[in-house]
Amino acid sequence: MGVFRTDRIPGLSRIPTELGREQRPCDRCGTETRHILYRVPKKLVFVYLKDHPKNLQATCMECARSTVLTGEERERVFGSR
């Protein structure tokens, strides 16, 4: 754990939280590459929500394309934490 807890600092609550990294197929590259999994907060007026249906994304480290993870993939990632 770092010095700052980003979930407690209001100005930093909008920063995505990295959940891990894994090998997965990339839609753009067409190959299996390393992806960063992270939770993205959603802005509603003046508040950032951490829990919403499209909050989990995977970004390819080769082409930097992001994919929203839903369904079984989303449950698997959150279940492994």
Side-chain angles (χ1 to χ4, degrees), residues 5-15 46-48:
R5 292 186 58 189
T6 57
D7 57 338
R8 297 286 181 147
I9 301 172
L12 298 179
S13 63
R14 65 181 179 265
I15 296 175
F46 297 108
V47 180
Y48 286 91

Side-chain angles (χ1 to χ4, degrees), residues 32-80:
E32 188 157 320
T33 58
R34 194 149 181 85
H35 284 66
I36 301 171
L37 304 174
Y38 57 96
R39 179 186 297 160
V40 181
K42 180 179 183 180
K43 185 176 183 180
L44 282 178
V45 187
F46 297 108
V47 180
Y48 286 91
L49 295 179
K50 289 184 180 180
D51 296 321
H52 59 90
K54 297 182 179 178
N55 70 341
L56 183 61
Q57 295 186 10
T59 300
C60 177
M61 293 178 71
E62 296 294 322
C63 67
R65 181 182 175 130
S66 294
T67 305
V68 175
L69 301 180
T70 58
E72 293 177 8
E73 285 184 309
R74 184 176 191 270
E75 296 304 320
R76 178 184 54 79
V77 172
F78 282 132
S80 66

